Amino acid sequence: MCLIMEAADDHDGGVLVAPSNFSMVEDGIYRSGFPKPENFGFLRTLNLRSIIYLCPEPYPEENLKFLEANHIKLFQFGIEGKTDPPTPMPKDTVLDALRVLVDVRNHPILIHCKAGKHRTGCLVGCLRKVQSWCLSSVLEEYQKNAGVKWRQRDLNFIEAFDIVSLRQCLLSMMYRYHGYGFKRKRLVHEEENVQTPKPQAAKV
């Protein structure tokens, strides 16, 4: 599925094209497949502060230049996506990525791998467990986004993922109600002075 929007300030009548499998996880958190140059205009509208990239391959130079020009920080977590033989999801790497994801200082943030289905789906699934979603809803969301290519081992990983190990990270954060929507909660860091991220990409 491809989301296309009219560019209101584009005098040439161009359109804004979202990356494949793009969707909002919740306010300030997005997910998608690998962004291509034709998606850069759309990404600018999100005012991203960070990107979580879940593949081991180097980020394309053209994409790095886009991040630098728009002051977006890159967090790369090299998770293999091989299916033959199957590569298990690395728990420690997912936990590191989750620490970055729940830190509101990195928001707005985009999560992506190649297709935006399996590795991205596992990370979002673990986030939902942190948010105390019931397991059936967590797994249903994963399957909906993965489509017919959902993987049982990913469901097993999400189900077995232990969020207790994230407790130390969450101690520095707290939930606050925001006056919008249905008073949904989002993670807000206790620090009031949020620093502007430097215009460079950083590999984790």
Side-chain angles (χ1 to χ4, degrees):
M1 190 172 99
C2 181
L3 176 63
I4 300 178
M5 300 170 53
E6 292 186 3
D9 57 350
D10 193 331
H11 300 293
D12 297 325
V15 294
L16 301 176
V17 182
S20 61
N21 295 320
F22 175 84
S23 65
M24 176 186 286
V25 177
E26 66 170 60
D27 295 286
I29 302 178
Y30 307 92
R31 60 180 291 172
S32 75
F34 204 106
K36 299 177 180 179
E38 57 263 34
N39 307 134
F40 291 169
F42 177 85
L43 294 183
R44 286 191 191 94
T45 68
L46 303 179
N47 297 313
L48 294 175
R49 183 173 289 179
S50 312
I51 285 179
I52 290 179
Y53 172 47
L54 299 174
C55 301
E57 294 81 11
Y59 218 52
E61 186 64 30
E62 191 168 11
N63 290 56
L64 287 175
K65 289 180 180 178
F66 169 77
L67 299 190
E68 183 176 2
N70 291 274
H71 311 292
I72 301 171
K73 188 171 184 179
L74 176 67
F75 294 92
Q76 181 172 1
F77 300 91
I79 300 175
E80 293 286 349
K82 297 178 182 178
T83 57
D84 189 19
T87 303
M89 291 290 291
K91 294 180 181 179
D92 290 343
T93 304
V94 172
L95 182 60
D96 288 341
L98 197 54
R99 288 193 180 101
V100 172
L101 181 58
V102 300
D103 190 338
V104 74
R105 294 173 297 179
N106 297 319
H107 297 179
I109 190 168
L110 172 70
I111 313 161
H112 78 81
C113 46
K114 286 188 176 179
K117 296 180 178 180
H118 303 110
R119 286 167 282 194
T120 298
C122 284
L123 182 58
V124 172
C126 293
L127 172 67
R128 296 309 193 192
K129 293 187 72 174
V130 173
Q131 296 174 317
S132 299
W133 276 35
C134 68
L135 183 60
S136 60
S137 295
V138 174
L139 302 184
E140 181 181 354
E141 182 184 42
Y142 165 86
Q143 289 180 299
K144 178 181 177 181
N145 283 280
V148 296
K149 293 187 176 181
W150 66 271
R151 298 171 181 169
Q152 184 61 48
R153 67 176 183 273
D154 288 346
L155 297 181
N156 295 341
F157 173 83
I158 294 170
E159 183 173 0
F161 188 80
D162 183 10
I163 63 171
V164 174
S165 53
L166 194 62
R167 190 169 292 168
Q168 284 299 113
C169 176
L170 295 179
L171 286 176
S172 66
M173 301 181 180
M174 59 184 173
Y175 282 108
R176 292 179 182 169
Y177 281 110
H178 282 236
Y180 54 80
F182 294 94
K183 293 187 176 180
R184 288 175 293 175
K185 296 177 180 178
R186 69 175 287 193
L187 284 166
V188 179
H189 202 274
E190 288 180 342
E191 295 179 0
E192 295 296 330
N193 297 321
V194 178
Q195 297 181 352
T196 303
K198 295 180 180 180
Q200 62 182 18
K203 182 180 289 188
V204 178

